[in-house]
Amino acid sequence: KDYDSALYGRLFHKAMEKSFYLNQIEDFINDEFGTELKDGRISEKLLQRLQNDLINFSRSKTFSFIFQAENFKNEFEIYVADKDYFLHGIIDKIIFKENKILIYDYKTDDIEKKEIKKHSEYYLMQLKFYLYIASKLFSEFDTFEGSLVFVKHPDDIVTLDYDSSKLKEMEKEITDIINSIKMKNSEKNMKHCRVCSFS
């Protein structure tokens, strides 16, 4: 790639933390990142890519739905005490709607539409973890829904939906993973070998 994907991800998430309108994107980018551009910390090409992606995303149905939310938090940081450890996560966007919590996790992977299903598999456990810690913090809610939003294809979201009975299953899955980490047990995931950057 001709750009730093980690830096790009940081810029996109920083942009989504703020509120902006479609006709303000160019001014918004100049205000937020103009200094870093002048200092040479960000390239003009990277900012152009960011601008194009923000325009594309802000024209989507997904953005329209998210933007209309009244009760929400961006870049919401959660610490939760669970058993004998703490769990921590930063959720890109969390929306509180009646008896339901909606979580949106933005992914800046530069992928084609046909690759969404494959790439979403890398992130589903992270999304489950966010749903789990949100359910611990906001136990008064009945339903928890999490969505992966690939910004290149914002209306092709991947969604997980959990009610209280399903949350119990997820709790066991996450607890087993945490116990494995604490016991320093790690199983080989051979299915991942074909996409591993070290293979």
Side-chain angles (χ1 to χ4, degrees):
K1 289 202 174 81
D2 59 351
Y3 69 96
D4 181 338
S5 56
L7 172 60
Y8 179 73
R10 180 179 69 79
L11 296 182
F12 185 89
H13 282 80
K14 187 176 179 183
M16 291 307 298
E17 187 178 355
K18 313 288 183 181
S19 294
F20 59 85
Y21 293 92
L22 179 58
N23 61 354
Q24 298 174 333
I25 288 177
E26 190 173 346
D27 291 338
F28 169 78
I29 287 176
N30 288 332
D31 292 343
E32 284 293 319
F33 307 114
T35 304
E36 291 177 82
L37 177 64
K38 286 176 187 171
D39 294 347
R41 286 177 284 161
I42 301 175
S43 71
E44 199 162 325
K45 192 172 185 178
L46 194 66
L47 282 188
Q48 187 60 54
R49 179 186 188 85
L50 177 63
Q51 182 173 322
N52 292 341
D53 282 351
L54 287 175
I55 289 170
N56 177 54
F57 184 41
S58 61
R59 287 176 175 157
S60 68
K61 291 176 185 174
T62 300
F63 181 85
S64 179
F65 175 79
I66 290 171
F67 191 76
Q68 289 171 16
E70 294 177 1
N71 191 6
F72 68 90
K73 292 184 183 298
N74 292 333
E75 294 295 312
F76 184 58
E77 191 166 9
I78 298 180
Y79 282 97
V80 177
D82 192 23
K83 301 178 178 65
D84 61 340
Y85 44 77
F86 283 91
L87 302 176
H88 170 248
I90 302 175
I91 296 171
D92 293 343
K93 190 171 197 89
I94 184 167
I95 297 173
F96 308 91
K97 192 174 182 184
E98 296 165 1
N99 65 340
K100 189 173 190 177
I101 280 187
L102 305 168
I103 288 173
Y104 290 88
D105 193 28
Y106 309 125
K107 297 303 177 190
T108 54
D109 305 44
D110 188 9
I111 59 172
E112 294 179 32
K113 192 171 181 174
K114 64 183 180 183
E115 297 177 294
I116 290 173
K117 185 177 182 298
K118 181 181 81 173
H119 276 254
S120 66
E121 290 172 7
Y122 309 153
Y123 300 116
L124 287 178
M125 185 48 70
Q126 178 190 10
L127 189 60
K128 285 182 183 180
F129 179 74
Y130 289 160
L131 290 167
Y132 178 66
I133 59 175
S135 73
K136 287 286 187 185
L137 189 62
F138 302 108
S139 56
E140 69 273 22
F141 287 82
D142 298 327
T143 310
F144 295 81
E145 182 180 288
S147 296
L148 295 173
V149 182
F150 290 90
V151 299
K152 290 291 182 188
H153 313 281
D155 284 330
D156 295 283
I157 62 176
V158 177
T159 300
L160 297 175
D161 207 353
Y162 284 85
D163 59 16
S164 54
S165 61
K166 275 187 173 181
L167 282 168
K168 283 292 176 192
E169 294 171 26
M170 183 167 61
E171 180 174 17
K172 183 184 182 313
E173 186 178 7
I174 289 174
T175 302
D176 287 347
I177 290 170
I178 291 169
N179 287 337
S180 292
I181 292 169
K182 288 170 72 179
M183 299 298 292
K184 298 186 178 176
N185 293 333
S186 55
E187 294 180 7
K188 292 177 182 177
N189 180 3
M190 305 301 282
K191 289 187 284 187
H192 188 261
C193 291
R194 59 192 173 84
V195 292
C196 176
S197 58
F198 298 103
S199 65

